[in-house]
Amino acid sequence: EQIWIELQNRMEAEPVARTISLDRPWLKVAIAAGLALLMGISAFIGFYTKTVNVPAGQHAEIYLPDHSRVSLNAQSTISYKPFVWKLSRTAKLEGEAFFEVTKGKEFGVVSEKGKTVVLGTTFNIYSRNSNYQVTCISGKVIVAEPDGRQKVTLGSGQQATLSTDGTLAIQSGIDTDRIVSWLSNKFSFTSVPLRRVFEE
């Protein structure tokens, strides 16, 4: 009984507060260094960008952090932020690429001429010089101007082309095999100016 009373008295007693003095100069330096390191790591994670460049005459296939597959055509570049990919599935593309997107949150592809947004689908983007063309192979794709004023939704076999005056035109019944023939190392052109054929 006496032991129990003694334990109760100890438990009811207020804990002794301990103070840490910041008068020590080394402690201030350690705290400042820790904060600087934390800010540096945060900045690195937020700004680090992985870029893949494909030279002329070659193709490349890459997998994004969510296992979405991207096939890149010759003279194409894709860049994305791997450390923040779960927060924002956005890639930047210049050139031509075929995307097979893993289902999940919104997936965006930004080019100088336009933006494409999907949830899970397959599509081809052609963005070279002043030409911007998105072809939906399966699923649904939203295509928008860079400023987002004009938006169109594409279904399978539809194609959106951004004209030089900034309007988005939709075509249906597109021969998608011809559009992605470059994946099989073939060139296929129909009613295309000869200058563009030679450029390709």
Side-chain angles (χ1 to χ4, degrees):
E1 218 175 281
Q2 188 179 359
I3 294 170
W4 176 250
I5 292 168
E6 196 175 312
L7 281 173
Q8 265 187 324
N9 289 339
R10 281 189 189 175
M11 287 190 299
E12 289 172 2
E14 288 186 24
V16 179
R18 298 180 71 190
T19 57
I20 298 173
S21 173
L22 292 177
D23 291 339
R24 298 180 189 135
W26 63 267
L27 191 57
K28 290 179 182 177
V29 171
I31 290 170
L35 287 172
L37 181 65
L38 186 63
M39 287 170 55
I41 290 170
S42 299
F44 174 77
I45 287 171
F47 291 111
Y48 174 73
T49 303
K50 186 169 184 176
T51 303
V52 178
N53 293 306
V54 181
Q58 293 183 27
H59 291 166
E61 189 175 273
I62 65 162
Y63 285 88
L64 298 173
D66 63 352
H67 304 293
S68 293
R69 187 172 70 165
V70 183
S71 300
L72 292 159
N73 201 350
Q75 288 187 315
S76 297
T77 302
I78 191 168
S79 55
Y80 61 96
K81 295 181 177 181
F83 294 124
V84 293
W85 187 258
K86 285 188 177 181
L87 301 174
S88 174
R89 297 199 307 168
T90 304
K92 187 175 180 186
L93 172 73
E94 288 307 320
E96 185 172 20
F98 176 75
F99 292 83
E100 292 178 72
V101 178
T102 303
K103 287 186 178 178
K105 288 196 302 183
E106 189 177 274
F107 183 101
V109 182
V110 179
S111 296
E112 189 180 328
K113 299 289 176 191
K115 183 179 179 182
T116 304
V117 178
V118 299
L119 293 175
T121 185
T122 56
F123 59 97
N124 192 81
I125 296 180
Y126 181 91
S127 177
R128 293 192 198 275
N129 303 322
S130 60
N131 301 302
Y132 186 72
Q133 199 173 67
V134 180
T135 309
C136 181
I137 311 300
S138 66
K140 286 196 174 181
V141 175
I142 298 170
V143 182
E145 289 179 291
D147 58 12
R149 281 184 297 139
Q150 261 192 327
K151 287 183 184 178
V152 294
T153 302
L154 304 179
S156 301
Q158 288 187 310
Q159 183 180 79
T161 305
L162 185 66
S163 63
T164 50
D165 66 355
T167 56
L168 279 167
I170 300 178
Q171 284 183 297
S172 296
I174 296 295
D175 180 6
T176 55
D177 290 338
R178 184 184 63 80
I179 297 295
V180 294
S181 62
W182 64 268
L183 292 168
S184 306
N185 299 316
K186 295 176 184 173
F187 290 103
S188 179
F189 301 99
T190 304
S191 301
V192 174
L194 192 59
R195 177 182 51 79
R196 251 189 78 187
V197 173
F198 282 124
E199 282 174 0
E200 283 299 303

